[in-house]
Every structure is written in structure tokens, then in C-alpha cells.
Amino acid sequence: MTQKTRPTTPSLTIAEAVDSLMRDGMPLRFTAYDGSAVGPPDSPVALELTSPRGLAYLLTAPGDLGMARAYVTGDLLLHGVHPGDPYDALVFLQNSLRFRTPTASEGLTVLRSLGLGSLRPPPPPPQETLPRWRRAVEGLRHSRGRDAEAIHHHYDVSNRFYELVLGPSMTYTCAVFPHADATLEEAQAEKYDLVCRKLDLKPGQRLLDVGCGWGGMVRHAAREYGVHALGVTLSRQQAEWGKEAIDREGLGDRAEVRHLDYRDVLESDFDAVSSIGLTEHIGVRNYPAYFRHLRDRLRPEGRLLNHCITRPHNRRQAIGAFLDRYVFPDGELTGSGRIITEAQDAGLEVMHEENLRRHYALTLTGWCRNLVDHWDEAVAEVGEGTARVWGLYMAGSRLAFERNEIQLHQVLAGRTTASGADGFPLRPTW
């Protein structure tokens, strides 16, 4: 009796397997470590998969997390762009890559061709923090201890690295460009000055700046407006740098930076409070307590300026896996409407709001340019993997701001008196 043989399933190369998942074919050049290639050889952007580990990253963490892991480790290379600013590649990929869902038999063919061993997850890159569910052992989300660890993960990378990326202003928040040709430094100075003007700062007044970073707002307000400014930050490295900068500028009699959680600021009767880039870290559920705390720090007729990244909608939404694991652990964003609502419910009178979305895209363009210009020194300072994380995240964020996937809002509010006095003129003066 003759034994029947089963038909063999055709084996695919890596390039053929990837191409089979494309809806309209591979729009760019893709090469793999098995020698296979697919896509137009003259495409402006090319992808190179350099190792089995990179393939395992892609298969075991589909989406942006797997690609980020392979890219950060150098197992997935982008040709045609600088790693300090892969913006052009991200635009091309977002506009051109169109995946399709394979049938069960097609999926099985792909997996058999690539090898079941590729489904064993490799250890993640050292730049990656734990997933949200595992971070729970460090405490509840946005507890003091867990917030301190999240801030440490992102902001205590290296002060020298931040100097290379941010430039002399050492300002890691959206700038305000007075005109399209303004330099990044001019735009950062304009941002601080706009905040000061909105707060109507006067010599001798007291300012509290929560989440003060390296003390840029504190120093600008003290130097240019003669106020007594206190800044607080959860980053020890930021606080140390800020104190040294205050001493260098001879502002010690009017400016101070403390390594302190904003919730531990007990002083009150401030004339103004600024919060520039802090709200993204505190959690949407904590907005009521956050705004109540800041309101209680103000004197009657005092002003609050809240500056933060927002969504174009008002639903509570956690950030994506790549940003959560590599950049802003526990970060959450929502819309300006939710922020205004919570500020009002905390007893603040909202007087003005402004969307600076396009300004943040320009800011990120400047930061990426700085990273490219100082790439070798940045890599020597923090390692190529971390430098790749920053180039990828900043270029991706620029694209998101340009496409209105995220926004940047300044909300100006005040603490009115019992009789309704708010201290504002009839029309804005800034």
C-alpha cells in the first residue's frame, strides 16, 4: 500500500512574509538578515531587520512597542534619516504602510516560515520600564512614591544630555514662537514672558512654580519681573542644576528651587502660581485635588496659569505603550474642556484659554535639530539606545502635534473674593 504524502506548505523568506501582510504591497525597501529583500530599491526610506532578536521583538509585541524595542536595540534600522530626527521616515511610514489582517491559514504559513522560536519574547531593552500592571507593586498609580519613580525615570537621565537637546534655556516645555523665524531660545524666552504677562507679575510679588524643571520660569520671573519665586520639582537632578543656575545668575535673594512634591508645599498667599508641563504627570482622577491645592496656595485675586499637553477630545486616555514604557510612565492626557471643568469645580474662575499646538511642533523640531547636531556627544553621555529613544519620541510627538492628535493648552484662572472681585482688567493686557 502506497503511503500518501501531505502537500508541503511553501516556506516564505522574511521579506516575503512581511510583504504578504501588506494591503497594497511593500511601499519601501525592506531587507532582512536572511538575505531577502522586497520593495522599491530607490525608496527614500528603507528598513533593515538585522537579527533574529529583532524579528522576535516584532512578533511578540505587535504594534509600536515591538518596533520600538527593535529600533532602540539597533535590530531594526531606518536608512535615509538620522536617528536623532527620524521625522521624515515616520511621515513616510504613516502615510504609506497599510497592513491587512491575514487569514488563519496565511498566518500559520507566516509563523511556520519564520519559526516558532521567534515567538519567544527576548528581554526588553534596558531603557524600558515595567508595564503598568507590574508597576503596581511600587504603589498605586500617582501615589507619591510611584510618581517620584516615574519622574526619576524620565528627568534624571543626565543634565548634560538635556543641555545638548534643550539648548541654553534648559526648558523642556512648549515654546511660543513670536514669528516663524524665531530661534528656539527666543521662543522659550517668549513663552516664559507670556506666562509672566498673563499672571500680571509685579516687583515684590510672590510666585509659586510647580513642576519647575531646571528653574527656567523661576529665574525669568525673578530676573525680569522682580518677583520672589519658589519652584518645586520631584527630580533631584533638576533641583541641583536649578540651584546652581540661580547662584550663577546672582538671583539667590529672589529665586529658590526645592526638591519637593508640589503636594508638600504648605505656604500660601502667593500672588500667582504657574504650572508648566506638570498636569500630564498627575493623573486625570487627581485633577480635583490638584486644582484645589493650587487654589489654596493663592491669595484672593491671585492668578493661576496651567500649561499642559492635551487631547483634542475630553475623554480620559492613557498614552501609548511606547511612551508609557520608555518616556512618560503613568502619563495621562485629556482635553482642555476637562481641565477647565476641573479648575472651575475647584473654585477657580477661568478667564482665558489658548491652544499652542503648532508651537509645540516647532519646539520639537528644534530639539531634534539639537540632538542631531550633538549626536556623538549625546550617545557618549547616555548610550545609543537612550539617544534613539529620544529621537524617536520627539519626532513622533512632532508629527502628532502637526496632525492634531495632541494639543497644548494654557488655561488662565483666578481666585475671586467672596464679593466676586477677580483682579483682572476689563480686557487682557498680555
Side-chain angles (χ1 to χ4, degrees), residues 177-420:
F177 287 77
H179 52 83
D181 296 327
T183 67
L184 180 59
E185 292 305 306
E186 291 170 340
Q188 291 294 12
E190 173 63 20
K191 183 267 300 298
Y192 286 135
D193 210 70
L194 177 62
V195 173
C196 290
R197 298 196 304 269
K198 286 182 175 180
L199 292 174
D200 196 30
L201 296 181
K202 299 288 194 301
Q205 289 186 334
R206 297 172 64 233
L207 167 71
L208 171 64
D209 185 41
V210 293
C212 69
W214 292 271
M217 176 63 190
V218 166
R219 287 180 286 116
H220 184 95
R223 182 180 62 248
E224 305 297 331
Y225 286 81
V227 303
H228 296 276
L230 167 64
V232 295
T233 173
L234 268 179
S235 166
R236 187 177 300 277
Q237 289 189 23
Q238 285 183 336
E240 292 172 353
W241 194 99
K243 292 173 184 177
E244 292 173 359
I246 287 171
D247 291 340
R248 284 196 305 269
E249 296 186 28
L251 297 171
D253 60 331
R254 296 196 303 276
E256 179 186 0
V257 169
R258 297 179 192 168
H259 178 229
L260 189 69
D261 191 304
Y262 80 92
R263 290 165 286 197
D264 292 327
V265 176
L266 301 180
E267 294 100 320
S268 58
D269 290 326
F270 286 95
D271 298 282
V273 174
S274 54
S275 175
I276 306 174
L278 173 62
T279 319
E280 300 91 330
H281 298 289
I282 67 171
V284 176
R285 289 179 177 174
N286 292 329
Y287 282 4
Y290 164 77
F291 281 111
R292 285 196 304 269
H293 183 80
L294 297 189
R295 177 191 178 276
D296 291 346
R297 308 280 73 74
L298 286 170
R299 65 165 176 80
E301 299 187 31
R303 299 187 185 186
L304 163 68
L305 189 287
N306 198 87
H307 166 125
C308 70
I309 301 172
T310 56
R311 297 282 188 193
H313 56 74
N314 291 296
R315 298 181 295 275
R316 178 186 173 201
Q317 184 174 345
I319 58 179
F322 166 65
L323 288 176
D324 181 65
R325 302 276 191 96
Y326 285 86
V327 186
F328 296 115
D330 292 338
E332 290 180 339
L333 301 177
T334 189
S336 58
R338 179 71 180 271
I339 290 170
I340 289 172
T341 296
E342 298 291 359
Q344 291 173 327
D345 289 350
L348 291 159
E349 182 181 15
V350 174
M351 307 296 290
H352 183 268
E353 73 88 24
E354 182 175 7
N355 185 359
L356 298 170
R357 172 177 66 86
R358 290 184 294 165
H359 292 260
Y360 217 151
L362 293 173
T363 304
L364 287 154
T365 302
W367 290 342
C368 282
R369 186 183 305 117
N370 286 342
L371 181 55
V372 170
D373 290 344
H374 301 285
W375 179 257
D376 290 342
E377 188 176 351
V379 169
E381 181 69 23
V382 299
E384 184 167 356
T386 298
R388 281 175 171 269
V389 167
W390 277 78
L392 181 62
Y393 124 71
M394 292 193 300
S397 296
R398 172 189 169 185
L399 184 58
F401 278 108
E402 288 177 346
R403 299 196 172 188
N404 197 28
E405 296 168 8
I406 46 179
Q407 301 175 346
L408 188 289
H409 277 84
Q410 286 188 351
V411 174
L412 178 65
R415 178 176 180 174
T416 58
T417 66
S419 62

Side-chain angles (χ1 to χ4, degrees), residues 39-59:
D42 59 347
S43 63
V45 175
L47 281 172
E48 180 185 359
L49 186 63
T50 65
S51 73
R53 181 178 64 175
L55 178 62
Y57 278 139
L58 297 179
L59 292 177

